[in-house]
Amino acid sequence: MSGGGPPSTADWPAGAAYEEDLALLSEGDAAIVDELVEDSRGAPGALGAILGRLNESLGFVSPPIQEALARRLAVPSVIVQQVVSFDPDLSSHPPSGPAVRLCGGAACLLPHGLGVHRAAGAEASVLPCLGACWGAPIAEEGSSRYEELTPLAARELGAGKSASPVRRHRPPLRGAPASLWRQEDLQRVRQHVGERVARRAQAAVDLGVRELLVCNGSGCSVRAADRVAEVISRSLAERGADLSLRVVRVGCRGGDLGMVTVAASPTGWRVRGVDEARAAALVAELCRDRSFTPSEAVWPGDDGAAASGVLRRCGVVDPCSLEEYVASGGFRSLERVVGAGGGLARSLARVEASGLSLRDEEGQPLGRALVAASAVGVSTVLCPCVSSEGHLVADSLLLGGDPFAVIEGVILTGLLCGARQGVVMPPSGALHLVEQVELAVALARRRGLLGPSILGGGLSFEMTVVPLPRRLVAIDESALRRCVLGEGTLTPAPRAVADGLPPALVIDPESAARLGAVLGMPEDDPGKARLLAGLRLVTLVGHLATPAVVEVPAATTLEGLLQVSAVPAPGIAAPVKGALSGGLLGVFQRWGREERVASRGSVLLLGESTCVVALLASLLSTLVREACGACAPGRTGVRALHEAFAAMAEGRLGGGSLAAVEETAAHLRATARCELGRGAGRLVASALGAFRAEIEAHLVDGRCPTGHCRRMVAG
Amino acid sequence: MPEVVSVTVDGRNLAAKAGESVLGLLRRSGIWIPTLCFDPRVTPYGGCRLCVVSRRDREGELVPACETPVVEGMVLETDSPAVQRARRRQLVLLLGEHRLDCPVCPASGRCTLELLLHRLGVAGDDVRRWDARATSGVRSPLIVHQPDRCVLCTLCIRLCHEVQGVSALGLQRVGEDTLVSTFASRVLDCEYCGQCVAACPTGALQLRPPLEPVPRRLGTGQITTCSLCPCGCQLQPAVRDGRVVAVESQVSWLPNRGQLCAKGRFAHDVLVSPERLTSPLVRQEGRLVPTSWERALQAVVEGVRQAQAQGRALVAFGTPRLTCEDAFLLQHFMRVTVGSPHVGVGLAAGARALVEGLRPVLGTARSTADFADLAAADLVLVLRADPSRTHPLVKSVVLAGRRRRGQQVVMAHALSGGLERHVDEFLPVRPLGEEALIYGVCRHLLTESATRARQAAGVAGFDQWQAGVLQYTDEVVQGLTGIDPARLAALARRLGRARRVVVVLPAGMGIPGDEAAVARAAAALLVLLGSHRVPGGGLLILGEKANLQGCLDVGLHPRLLPGGDSAGEPGWEPVHAMARAGAGEVGFLYLVGHDPLGGWPRATHRRDGLEGAAFVVVQDAFLTKTTRAANVVLPVSILAEREGTVVGADGVRRQLRAAVAPPAGVAPDGAIFRELARRLGMPLPSEKEVDKALYEVFEAHLEARGRRPAPTLVPPPPPPPPRTWRGMLLDVSPQLLHSGSVTRYSAVLRGLAPIVAVRLAPEDVAAFGLTPGGRAHLTTGTGEEMMVVRVDRTVRPSSAVVLWQSNAEGLGAFLAVDGEARLVDVRRSR
């Protein structure tokens, strides 16, 4: 104790006195909080869901609102704050005018994203992903989007000169994250969905009505699908055909990238690459005899054969119509499992034998997981739409385009392993997905597909929808379960503690959709079921002409993958497998013999001119931002690697440091808590294996072989 | 019997309990494992990754020992090269974001990170520093937070959340920006338990000078027992230059497992308070003047002899903070040396609950439940007040029971505290409504279960009791408590389903309601539930002062003799004694640690009694208001200056050891009693004789456990007419940082919680147009007071929390009788 006397508060710094603020809630805001809490009383995961809705209603969740919510839900206010500051889709401050928002997604970082970010300056904020990989690197300002930015263009954009540098400028995406939606857009979409449901319900009684389905997926939307739909509607109305031929917006099915797709219901006939002019021509042709038939499938672009497998209904049926789902073979497998005597055991054996895999790191067989889960008594099936970016795209595609398939798969999973509760977890930021899934769950419940006796078979299953913070991509199952319980603890709980939580089985949307498809196959056709079991959804992003979502058999090589997806790949130097959490592979020629696309969900491709060191610095900078901060390796190790590669690109790192980098990468792979940290270790370790010469050139010779790192000698 | 699994560790076969963590097994086996984020009191976190061990049975996979459960056949290596490499690498990485200012860091010498660097032999060449994280973090008048020293072990957060139940700290932001923060970055407003600082493995959280703790190597004092409340926390004052400079506690010490409240951790500065008495005072010509011990004691002896000669009564009240030994000596001094039966603990909260509430029903003036029962109960029912405010350790035991065992907790009282948000059910009963609530529940239990009624019918006094209970109909109970019949029935069902029930009754000056009546009702409820004599069941009465239980055990009560037997000739109760004194019947009034003028309600005849008593001796450490009426004032040693034993509310007798010497001129209570007795010609028993007597008393209690006398049900009073409670309820019950008189002399506690403040909910502050830090006028009808306004988010709206202070600066002194609740008008002061 300093000094001779007793301690006295007079010694304390003047600024350290109590501060008491009386920031009270306005009556209007309090009413909104009350209403949301009342609506969700008792619902699991109430905290996350309520925060998402508050953010949507008010634009942000201010500290007084957080505190009021905490009080009403009886959770500590710091926990609410923790969730808000954890979830990139939530904000505690009002949005401050039109500012430049940069995409921090992998596809945007790959070409020269880091340069774009630096050039845009400190005023620009970086969001995890703006969801428009095809135009990478992208930025947004207000409702405007700027695609294929160069650092020069980004600098001008950051300086407020937004007119000249844009290469493209398009309205906001349909299906983009909530942060991009303006309130009036949201209202419009909601109204649209509501009207659509009502309309199609009417159509169900009016069997004479045919429909033209215009893709509502993000890829088509950015290419003016809404204007195409408008033109078709107007043209039909002008010709008086709108009573028998309706225009409906449906979810994306993937694979038809770069073009607006229009399909006919219920035939599955489709036309790709429709623009406004072609839309009018299409209507003119259709209206010649005021009807159309499957024989008209001579139109170019028909690819009905591809409409099989997991994506077979996406873009073909209305995701809001349970009737269409059933008409297209939906819930057949559920009927089979629930209806037949001994159906559960037989179905379990069938899944086990099918080779159906969960889409995780090891591609663990789903059948075996189900058998193990039924043995230990699982109470809940969690279906989170989480993983790396590529997975997120694929999962969103299914939840938005074919939600009943996911719901059916979760019900089946639960019945097979004895669980009676399912939780579907769409990303909280994608409100259109949340609403889509909630609607689908409500429809399924109304039709007796959920509840105390599914299809009257005496088996019960309930389902809830819990929006999931995007950052939970990197967090383990315990955190998911806590999130479902509404405890709001987003930091991962250790395994030992997880014992206190209800046991759960985690299945991703893709696997859930496949489970339904496999069990829906005739039992006398095991070969087809096995083929379907082996299918994978793969997202291709990066230096491609277009991004793509394709289905490929599990053992397809990367080279084969390019052929399947018909992606032009000139001068590709390296793919990053499994987005940021995968490894960096060697040159194109080695793909075929070295790697298979085994249970991974995305591939990034790089041009030959990409500097591996700069690339790693970019990728690691994303991971540094995405790390949850809970485990020391994930926080400090990823940052150490990022600092090392950033320094390397600027010639600030000596040759002797490579050993430390290698050791850190190995350390991360061995000790990090979640896939983010381990993936970062794998990324660097694989790069050091495949591109060691290029990295050493930076370190030892002080030169960048690609000429990308400007502070170094080129060549 | 837990299943035993076999695990191979470094080539040795070890037996482990199924489900235990690898770290638990290794530490039990004496194997050193480094950790930064582990604490046995909280949920394992697995964040620091320093406790990794290698699993040979899984290809050498590195797993964190703290969060990995043992499984049969596990083969572990705890010190392989891969393990060592991983630990060293992790330390190097942590140093990358840690401010390396060890030579000037106050934590140097007790920093775990520093210790591990030395022990694991990390080379400095490897360390690459990058830009530090934020340099300013949690703001507090007590704590300095430097995030760039933080390793994000989250021990502070987890202890605050899980052990304290306060949740003042949390993580904010993500990735490299992650930092420990308060809600909305407000100034830390918590219970100031200091757990976060004590647990911080680095120097990220430090006490603000001059409270800075000393490095462990610089020496500490004796391990002793906190005597500020009856929780019995073990602590170790760090002593430098003969003065306590800090207080520490270890996780391995029971019952508090390293936990201390703000009083235990920071109130040690009262020992060096400038207001302490350091010399006896004697009244001369109307003024108290310092004098020698010789003259002061002689004056007291003369006062005794004069009273005896005049045939007037001699009365003594000893504070329940006396040690068992000193309390025994005081009652012996009065009963034997002086020959007066009028001796007791005075107006001590909890005494009536034990003696007049519990004893008539269960036959003992001792709580029938201890902390182990509390931890093992299926359901805990808390009545009258929130232990968060009165007995923080009890709150933590309850929280641990909930977290680890899913224990149910139900609270019913009229005040606020903060524990409400952790319990299964909170019943905000109207003031004074607890008794009616319990009888209402009893009526439900009796009428809804014939079996239960049949079983209870054998208890003595059942018929009259039942007849009384049946008067507490749902309508009557709702009128008295405000609790609707459906909730009452649900509570009865909940209680009826629980096998082991513990009822907790916190006591404290200013808590509304008759503590004895509530204790009687609660004891009857336990008898009805069959929980009064099972392990994991019982009644836990939490007295306000440290050694209330011990004082009653050794006979410092007008009705009790040492060992709990009834006194043949009962002495006067405090209020009665003061009335008799006011009537001029008392010739000698000996107040040991009591301040009636400052801390007793008006209706206790305190002023008349002090004026009427012929000779008043005050024995205290500070100059209190009562010393105004004293003829002699004797200064005594307190807290960590004392030797002896105290009995906690849990019935366990614990040792007080003097960690520091008292100031010169100050004497221990016992030594004063002995010297007075010697001068009166009848010396008190020797230390050895006292020890023997106490041994017999407490041994008898130990033996009595498990074979308690058969209960007797005492008929409840007829239900009183319902009262209307509209307006602001005046809450003068103990506050967390000030429970009585001593804490008011702590500059640190006064800084954290000013004693002339009214605490109001934010809604009320806004509604009354008050400003935080401004003044408010409080009127009760019998008095008024001007107070500083503080916003407190734990205060329930429509109540005003004011400290019951021993020098009557609060509104507590305006209350009429003990236990009465009162409404207060609050308005802005111009």
Side-chain angles (χ1 to χ4, degrees):
Chain A
M1 201 177 290
S2 63
S8 160
T9 48
D11 299 336
W12 292 344
Y18 275 101
E19 285 173 12
E20 289 159 338
D21 61 88
L22 283 174
L24 297 173
L25 216 50
S26 72
E27 282 181 15
D29 290 353
I32 292 174
V33 173
D34 284 341
E35 188 185 333
L36 288 172
V37 171
E38 193 59 38
D39 282 352
S40 61
R41 188 165 295 282
L47 177 59
I50 292 173
L51 282 172
R53 281 170 167 75
L54 278 171
N55 204 68
E56 177 201 353
S57 306
L58 307 171
F60 65 105
V61 191
S62 68
I65 292 175
Q66 293 174 31
E67 197 166 33
L69 180 60
R71 194 175 293 176
R72 282 162 179 74
L73 290 176
V75 296
S77 43
V78 282
I79 295 287
V80 178
Q81 171 180 263
Q82 194 171 320
V83 177
V84 173
S85 71
F86 182 86
D87 190 338
D89 293 321
L90 302 175
S91 168
S92 58
H93 303 291
S96 54
V100 177
R101 299 187 295 274
L102 298 166
C103 176
C108 286
L109 285 172
L110 285 174
H112 37 254
L114 205 60
V116 165
H117 288 188
R118 283 189 184 140
E123 293 302 312
S125 58
V126 180
L127 297 181
C129 180
L130 295 177
C133 308
W134 48 87
I138 62 164
E140 289 183 340
E141 186 180 22
S143 59
S144 303
R145 163 166 296 144
Y146 304 92
E147 298 184 351
E148 295 179 16
L149 281 175
T150 60
L152 184 65
R155 186 173 301 125
E156 293 185 15
L157 188 62
K161 301 176 198 166
S162 56
S164 62
V166 297
R167 292 276 299 275
R168 290 185 219 158
H169 170 206
R170 300 198 182 277
L173 282 181
R174 295 267 180 250
S179 55
L180 306 185
W181 288 95
R182 289 174 303 180
Q183 286 297 313
E184 57 267 39
D185 288 340
L186 268 177
Q187 293 298 334
R188 203 150 50 86
V189 169
R190 280 206 190 117
Q191 193 180 353
H192 178 66
V193 170
E195 286 169 0
R196 186 171 60 183
V197 172
R199 223 171 39 220
R200 291 183 69 87
Q202 180 60 39
V205 294
D206 183 3
L207 294 174
V209 173
R210 303 293 179 101
E211 288 167 339
L212 278 178
L213 312 175
V214 180
C215 179
N216 196 31
S218 55
C220 290
S221 287
V222 81
R223 286 169 177 81
D226 49 352
R227 289 203 290 280
V228 168
E230 257 180 55
V231 169
I232 293 177
S233 298
R234 201 171 53 239
S235 302
L236 287 172
E238 282 167 1
R239 292 164 185 273
D242 55 331
L243 289 177
S244 56
L245 201 55
R246 294 177 190 277
V247 179
V248 179
R249 304 296 300 273
V250 294
C252 176
R253 70 165 300 282
D256 297 333
L257 299 145
M259 293 157 267
V260 176
T261 303
V262 178
S265 172
T267 59
W269 163 98
R270 73 180 56 213
V271 188
R272 302 163 81 183
V274 180
D275 55 16
E276 289 174 53
R278 205 167 167 201
L282 172 68
V283 172
E285 188 148 349
L286 285 172
C287 288
R288 269 202 288 271
D289 58 358
R290 289 186 168 242
S291 68
F292 63 94
T293 64
S295 64
E296 292 181 71
V298 293
W299 281 68
D302 176 20
D303 61 347
S308 63
V310 187
L311 297 174
R312 65 195 183 285
R313 274 181 293 262
C314 287
V316 175
V317 303
D318 179 0
C320 296
S321 168
L322 184 60
E323 289 72 19
E324 287 196 16
Y325 178 70
V326 172
S328 63
F331 290 116
R332 191 182 297 154
S333 40
L334 186 63
E335 278 172 356
R336 187 173 290 169
V337 168
V338 172
L344 285 180
R346 203 165 66 232
S347 303
L348 194 57
R350 192 152 178 249
V351 177
E352 195 179 2
S354 72
L356 193 63
S357 300
L358 281 174
R359 193 187 62 192
D360 63 0
E361 182 64 16
E362 291 87 20
Q364 184 194 7
L366 177 57
R368 215 178 298 160
L370 280 173
V371 170
S374 60
V376 299
V378 165
S379 69
T380 311
V381 176
L382 304 180
C383 183
C385 185
V386 291
S387 197
S388 55
E389 284 168 47
H391 293 177
L392 200 67
V393 172
D395 289 345
S396 301
L397 194 75
L398 279 167
L399 287 174
D402 196 9
F404 294 111
V406 178
I407 289 172
E408 184 179 7
V410 172
I411 300 173
L412 286 169
T413 311
L415 295 183
L416 293 179
C417 70
R420 291 293 174 262
Q421 160 85 14
V423 185
V424 182
M425 307 166 103
S428 63
L431 286 171
H432 62 296
L433 285 186
V434 176
E435 289 177 356
Q436 186 87 73
V437 177
E438 282 177 344
L439 176 67
V441 167
L443 288 173
R445 186 176 291 117
R446 200 179 303 158
R447 289 288 297 269
L449 295 157
L450 288 167
S453 177
I454 296 173
L455 297 173
L459 291 169
S460 70
F461 197 81
E462 258 311 330
M463 192 171 290
T464 47
V465 181
V466 175
L468 199 60
R470 201 191 295 164
R471 231 176 221 110
L472 277 178
V473 292
I475 289 184
D476 62 14
E477 182 200 322
S478 303
L480 290 180
R481 284 193 271 167
R482 278 172 179 269
C483 196
V484 169
L485 289 171
E487 294 186 2
T489 310
L490 297 177
T491 48
R495 281 176 221 131
V497 177
D499 293 343
L501 299 170
L505 179 72
V506 181
I507 184 171
D508 59 274
E510 182 202 327
S511 299
R514 277 194 291 144
L515 180 63
V518 167
L519 288 173
M521 289 284 167
E523 290 197 37
D524 56 1
D525 189 3
K528 201 168 176 187
R530 261 204 299 278
L531 177 66
L532 194 55
L535 283 177
R536 296 285 182 278
L537 295 185
V538 176
T539 318
L540 296 172
V541 290
H543 262 188
L544 300 169
T546 57
V549 178
V550 294
E551 282 181 355
V552 293
T556 305
T557 62
L558 287 167
E559 192 171 16
L561 172 61
L562 288 189
Q563 288 164 3
V564 170
S565 60
V567 174
I572 289 175
V576 180
K577 192 167 72 74
L580 301 189
S581 61
L584 192 64
L585 299 186
V587 290
F588 177 76
Q589 285 75 16
R590 289 162 61 191
W591 294 4
R593 62 175 187 273
E594 271 195 4
E595 289 290 335
R596 294 178 164 196
V597 186
S599 68
R600 301 308 303 257
S602 55
V603 174
L604 311 176
L605 299 172
L606 318 175
E608 280 175 336
S609 62
T610 302
C611 169
V612 169
V613 170
L615 165 72
L616 286 170
S618 295
L619 294 179
L620 288 165
S621 74
T622 302
L623 294 178
V624 165
R625 280 200 307 276
E626 284 289 296
C628 73
C631 87
R635 188 181 73 250
T636 59
V638 175
R639 183 161 184 199
L641 290 178
H642 171 244
E643 297 281 339
F645 278 95
M648 226 182 274
E650 293 176 7
R652 291 187 283 111
L653 201 66
S657 307
L658 204 54
V661 169
E662 256 178 322
E663 197 180 327
T664 303
H667 176 68
L668 276 175
R669 291 176 71 175
T671 64
R673 173 175 217 149
C674 72
E675 268 307 300
L676 185 139
R678 284 187 225 123
R682 265 200 303 278
L683 189 66
V684 172
S686 64
L688 286 168
F691 299 95
R692 196 173 191 96
E694 192 174 328
I695 293 169
E696 283 181 343
H698 285 74
L699 272 176
V700 181
D701 307 335
R703 66 184 176 86
C704 173
T706 63
H708 179 276
C709 304
R710 291 192 181 170
R711 294 195 184 177
M712 310 187 96
V713 180
Chain B
M1 195 71 182
E3 191 190 337
V4 176
V5 296
S6 176
V7 178
T8 307
V9 179
D10 297 335
R12 278 197 293 159
N13 276 333
L14 297 176
K17 285 177 279 188
E20 84 171 310
S21 71
V22 168
L23 184 66
L25 169 70
L26 298 179
R27 291 211 163 157
R28 264 197 305 114
S29 310
I31 298 170
W32 180 77
I33 300 290
T35 58
L36 274 176
C37 69
F38 180 78
D39 187 304
R41 293 171 291 179
V42 291
T43 307
Y45 182 60
C48 73
R49 261 21 195 193
L50 287 175
C51 64
V52 286
V53 292
S54 168
R55 279 193 71 171
R56 290 292 303 276
D57 57 324
R58 281 175 61 169
E59 298 171 351
E61 182 192 354
L62 295 179
V63 294
C66 65
E67 60 171 2
T68 306
V70 290
V71 290
E72 178 68 39
M74 203 178 226
V75 182
L76 300 170
E77 278 186 345
T78 64
D79 206 24
S80 66
V83 168
Q84 288 184 8
R85 204 165 43 240
R87 289 175 184 163
R88 277 201 289 269
R89 173 57 44 187
Q90 190 50 59
L91 280 178
V92 166
L93 290 172
L94 284 172
L95 289 179
E97 60 175 16
H98 181 81
R99 189 208 290 184
L100 292 173
D101 61 348
C102 305
V104 295
C105 176
S108 184
R110 57 185 185 91
C111 169
T112 312
L113 186 61
E114 189 181 47
L115 174 84
L116 292 178
L117 287 171
H118 288 306
R119 179 137 185 189
L120 294 173
V122 173
D125 309 345
D126 255 2
V127 178
R128 289 193 66 83
R129 296 267 306 126
W130 53 75
D131 293 342
R133 289 200 300 261
T135 50
S136 67
V138 174
R139 294 176 300 146
S140 164
L142 196 65
I143 292 168
V144 185
H145 180 211
Q146 285 167 324
D148 52 356
R149 287 191 188 134
C150 177
V151 290
L152 289 176
C153 68
T154 68
L155 274 176
C156 50
I157 294 174
R158 284 177 289 150
L159 284 164
C160 193
H161 184 61
E162 297 182 16
V163 176
Q164 291 301 123
V166 173
S167 305
L169 298 172
L171 283 180
Q172 208 178 356
R173 305 187 209 149
V174 290
E176 57 183 335
D177 297 328
T178 312
L179 85 165
V180 174
S181 162
T182 54
F183 178 73
S185 301
R186 286 181 184 147
V187 171
L188 181 65
D189 185 9
C190 65
E191 294 184 355
Y192 302 104
C193 66
Q195 300 278 89
C196 50
V197 176
C200 182
T202 66
L205 288 168
Q206 299 276 335
L207 291 178
R208 199 176 279 283
L211 295 170
E212 178 183 328
V214 289
R216 209 158 276 155
R217 62 174 183 274
L218 292 184
T220 52
Q222 294 266 27
I223 299 169
T224 185
T225 304
C226 176
S227 53
L228 286 164
C229 88
C231 290
C233 296
Q234 299 296 290
L235 50 81
Q236 186 174 32
V239 179
R240 187 193 280 172
D241 302 331
R243 285 171 56 177
V244 177
V245 291
V247 167
E248 292 170 355
S249 187
Q250 301 291 321
V251 176
S252 55
W253 297 345
L254 295 176
N256 49 318
R257 287 165 61 83
Q259 188 190 345
L260 292 172
C261 68
K263 290 177 286 186
R265 201 178 290 279
F266 300 119
H268 54 81
D269 63 340
V270 301
L271 295 174
V272 290
S273 164
E275 296 171 76
R276 267 197 84 171
L277 289 169
T278 52
S279 160
L281 306 172
V282 172
R283 188 165 297 280
Q284 287 178 355
E285 298 170 0
R287 292 177 55 202
L288 285 172
V289 293
T291 185
S292 66
W293 273 100
E294 177 63 33
R295 285 194 55 197
L297 291 172
Q298 198 50 44
V300 176
V301 168
E302 283 164 15
V304 171
R305 289 199 173 127
Q306 199 171 357
Q308 286 171 329
Q310 292 170 349
R312 294 163 84 180
L314 292 92
V315 177
F317 299 134
T319 168
R321 286 210 174 103
L322 288 176
T323 63
C324 293
E325 291 74 12
D326 293 349
F328 181 83
L329 291 176
L330 177 59
Q331 64 86 29
H332 196 280
F333 172 77
M334 289 303 292
R335 287 190 171 123
V336 180
T337 309
V338 173
S340 166
H342 311 306
V343 62
V345 285
L347 210 61
R352 289 189 56 243
L354 286 162
V355 178
E356 298 170 39
L358 189 59
R359 195 161 178 261
V361 181
L362 298 180
T364 172
R366 273 199 146 212
S367 292
T368 57
D370 57 20
F371 290 163
D373 294 319
L374 189 61
D378 299 322
L379 188 148
V380 176
L381 174 62
V382 183
L383 298 168
R384 297 193 79 234
D386 186 342
S388 294
R389 267 167 70 174
T390 56
H391 300 81
L393 182 61
V394 172
K395 174 196 70 176
S396 294
V397 175
V398 170
L399 287 179
R402 279 187 63 68
R403 191 165 51 85
R404 296 200 174 127
R405 301 184 40 251
Q407 189 178 60
Q408 292 185 72
V409 182
V410 179
M411 288 175 76
H413 57 77
L415 310 175
S416 58
L419 190 57
E420 300 97 285
R421 67 165 193 250
H422 300 288
V423 304
D424 296 276
E425 186 164 13
F426 176 64
L427 299 160
V429 295
R430 288 180 187 154
L432 321 180
E434 290 91 343
E435 190 186 3
L437 181 83
I438 299 171
Y439 287 127
V441 166
C442 289
R443 194 188 67 82
H444 271 277
L445 288 168
L446 282 171
T447 52
E448 285 166 17
S449 167
T451 314
R452 195 180 298 282
R454 218 171 23 250
Q455 283 168 353
V459 179
F462 175 76
D463 292 337
Q464 296 92 323
W465 179 78
Q466 186 186 32
V469 164
L470 292 178
Q471 297 176 51
Y472 285 83
T473 60
D474 284 349
E475 296 70 36
V476 168
V477 174
Q478 186 168 16
L480 289 167
T481 64
I483 303 298
D484 65 60
R487 286 190 82 181
L488 191 68
L491 175 61
R493 278 196 299 277
R494 195 192 275 269
L495 283 162
R497 280 196 300 268
R499 280 194 309 120
R500 297 170 297 184
V501 177
V502 167
V503 179
V504 178
L505 289 183
M509 295 286 267
I511 295 177
D514 181 346
E515 62 178 43
V518 179
R520 264 196 302 277
L525 171 67
L526 289 170
V527 170
L528 187 61
L529 292 169
S531 267
H532 63 296
R533 61 170 78 226
V534 295
L539 185 56
L540 180 59
I541 293 175
L542 302 167
E544 185 178 10
K545 300 276 168 63
N547 194 30
L548 175 68
Q549 187 65 64
C551 289
L552 298 182
D553 288 342
V554 302
L556 190 65
H557 192 275
R559 295 195 211 171
L560 301 176
L561 292 178
D565 296 334
S566 297
E569 181 199 350
W572 294 339
E573 298 290 339
V575 179
H576 181 58
M578 291 305 253
R580 301 294 277 266
E585 297 177 35
V586 174
F588 178 82
L589 182 59
Y590 192 6
L591 298 169
V592 181
H594 275 285
D595 177 20
L597 279 186
W600 292 16
R602 279 183 174 174
T604 56
H605 315 289
R606 52 196 184 145
R607 196 171 298 277
D608 296 342
L610 285 166
E611 285 170 4
F615 194 88
V616 179
V617 180
V618 172
Q619 188 164 304
D620 211 318
F622 300 93
L623 204 63
T624 63
K625 286 202 166 187
T626 302
T627 51
R628 254 189 265 157
N631 297 79
V632 178
V633 179
L634 304 174
V636 290
S637 52
I638 49 171
L639 302 179
E641 299 163 352
R642 300 189 299 166
E643 293 274 359
T645 56
V646 289
V647 179
D650 57 347
V652 177
R653 192 172 169 213
R654 299 186 177 89
Q655 198 77 34
L656 284 181
R657 298 182 187 86
V660 287
V666 166
D669 291 287
I672 299 173
F673 302 145
R674 284 184 185 286
E675 184 58 21
L676 288 174
R678 191 185 65 75
R679 288 172 186 244
L680 285 166
M682 198 177 288
L684 293 177
S686 68
E687 281 183 17
K688 208 168 176 181
E689 287 167 328
V690 172
D691 285 348
K692 185 162 177 288
L694 294 190
Y695 176 79
E696 283 167 7
V697 166
F698 293 110
E699 191 65 14
H701 279 303
L702 283 176
E703 284 176 9
R705 266 190 81 82
R707 49 180 181 79
R708 292 172 189 138
T712 305
L713 292 171
V714 178
R723 281 184 62 176
T724 309
W725 295 98
R726 279 204 197 94
M728 296 289 286
L729 177 67
L730 179 63
D731 176 357
V732 290
S733 62
Q735 295 182 17
L736 180 67
L737 272 54
H738 295 289
S739 60
S741 51
V742 174
T743 54
R744 293 183 308 107
Y745 298 98
S746 164
V748 176
L749 295 185
R750 276 206 310 268
L752 295 174
I755 56 180
V756 285
V758 54
R759 296 179 172 273
L760 296 165
E763 295 88 333
D764 289 333
V765 172
F768 290 121
L770 304 171
T771 47
R775 302 255 160 192
H777 229 86
L778 277 74
T779 316
T780 64
T782 54
E784 65 180 325
E785 191 76 38
M786 183 106 77
M787 295 207 152
V788 178
V789 176
R790 314 291 298 200
V791 176
D792 189 335
R793 288 174 173 79
T794 64
V795 170
R796 189 171 310 151
S798 298
S799 62
V801 180
V802 175
L803 182 64
W804 180 289
Q805 294 141 62
S806 60
N807 60 352
E809 282 164 331
L811 284 170
F814 296 116
L815 289 188
V817 290
D818 183 23
E820 178 161 332
R822 181 148 289 184
L823 297 175
V824 63
D825 289 329
V826 180
R827 62 190 162 82
R828 190 172 171 184
S829 179
R830 299 174 183 219

